[in-house]
């Protein structure tokens, strides 16, 4: 029962991700802030639906698992806006590493290692699966902002070049999605939702 | 681009599940009601973590996909408390069937069929994967209520026999989890969180 108790403690710990709020807004729920748990659900399904656009072979089950766990570290480290300063982002990276050890460390040894490895793989973005996962994580805020008058971009005065840089993984990995993103970014500029820089 | 546009419309439609609130409370976020999107995230990970307790061979990727999509119908049909009357539950079933056709129907034909089939499989609970998915969907509220002074059970005056009936899939499928559930239910009765009936 000791193994089971560890697993149940971890499962209960996960509840806390529902209290971590991001910069994205939920248009269908009175434009309240989105939390990282529901965001993780949304991008896992998004990856499944858009998998056909990856030009390299993607293991979609691994991608979905990565996306389900990638934000768990925010329970300790909090969420940081994607377009924060480089100093803040570097500091955040350290916090997240410590968080991963503590939170995944609640699990029995074998599962701890497996979750930790999957999370590190996502962070490093060196494998095809991790790159596709990251690309999907980044395309969803674009879809949300485009249907919400610029959403978090407009509120934070974000530039076109920042959004393109952030979505660059799509360029070689899913060119059809990259074309879509580029068109949307241009549209956002004409609408005044992104700075033309 | 027509296929992609359909997929993106579906992905945006999913946002609405974040506005569907359940009876469960999120203890770590001031005991607000839990929404069905973050719940779906939580149970998908729970299934992954507890898969070793299934005594029959479970395809965990299918189970996780089922759990990620099983509540999408609530966008149209709303959530219904598990221990509602039989008449209300039957009425809900009809609404969900119509909802599945409309919402999954936003997707291109092939994905529509695949999501619809997976959802029907979950609802019918006749395969091992579907039974394990249902068992996991039902064990999580127990874990949440046990750490929240009875939570939704206490508020709705639920009986021990109702909770045991609802978790019965675990009995043959994951006996170690079934033993755990039975012990927790007895504890809940002694705490006055469940009626002793």
């Amino acid at each position: 029962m000791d193994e089971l108790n560890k697993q149940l403690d971890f499962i209960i710990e996960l509840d806390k991700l529902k209290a971590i709020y991001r910069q994205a807004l939920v248009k269908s729920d009175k434009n309240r802030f989105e939390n990282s748990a529901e965001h993780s659900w949304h991008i896992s399904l998004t990856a499944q639906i858009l998998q056909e656009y990856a030009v390299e072979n993607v293991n979609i089950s691994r991608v979905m698992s990565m996306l389900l766990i990638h934000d768990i570290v925010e329970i300790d480290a909090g969420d940081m806006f994607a377009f924060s300063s480089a100093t803040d982002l570097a500091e955040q990276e350290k916090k997240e590493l410590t968080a991963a050890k503590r939170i995944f460390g609640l699990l029995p040894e074998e599962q701890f290692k497996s979750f930790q490895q999957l999370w590190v793989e996502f962070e490093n973005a060196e494998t095809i699966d991790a790159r596709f996962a990251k690309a999907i994580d980044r395309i969803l805020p674009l879809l949300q902002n485009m249907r919400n008058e610029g959403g978090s971009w407009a509120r934070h005065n974000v530039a076109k070049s920042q959004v393109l840089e952030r979505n660059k993984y799509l360029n070689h990995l899913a060119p059809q999605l990259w074309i879509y993103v580029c068109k949307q970014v241009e549209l956002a500029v004409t609408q005044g939702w992104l700075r033309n820089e």
Side-chain angles (χ1 to χ4, degrees), chain A residues 1-11 100-116:
Chain A
M1 277 292 180
D2 184 47
E3 169 137 337
L4 177 58
N5 282 328
K6 285 183 183 176
Q7 291 162 324
L8 297 177
D9 283 347
F10 177 78
I11 289 165
K101 282 185 191 148
R102 183 194 75 77
I103 304 169
F104 296 134
L106 295 171
L107 286 165
E109 188 65 16
E110 206 177 315
Q111 284 185 326
F112 165 46
K113 281 187 192 157
S114 134
F115 274 59
Q116 172 91 352

Side-chain angles (χ1 to χ4, degrees), chain A residues 90-158:
Chain A
E91 186 60 32
Q92 178 72 0
E93 211 176 300
K94 280 190 217 155
K95 280 192 206 162
E96 290 188 352
L97 202 62
T98 312
K101 282 185 191 148
R102 183 194 75 77
I103 304 169
F104 296 134
L106 295 171
L107 286 165
E109 188 65 16
E110 206 177 315
Q111 284 185 326
F112 165 46
K113 281 187 192 157
S114 134
F115 274 59
Q116 172 91 352
Q117 274 168 15
L118 203 60
W119 178 77
V120 169
E121 182 180 336
F122 175 84
E123 287 300 305
N124 292 344
E126 284 167 0
T127 63
I128 295 297
D129 290 347
R131 280 169 182 262
F132 188 66
K134 268 208 193 275
I136 293 296
D137 185 30
R138 291 166 176 199
I139 200 175
L140 189 59
L142 176 138
L143 299 178
Q144 291 171 317
N145 286 341
M146 288 305 293
R147 276 160 183 82
N148 209 359
E149 297 175 345
S152 59
W153 293 337
R155 275 186 300 117
H156 290 276
N157 199 25
V158 172

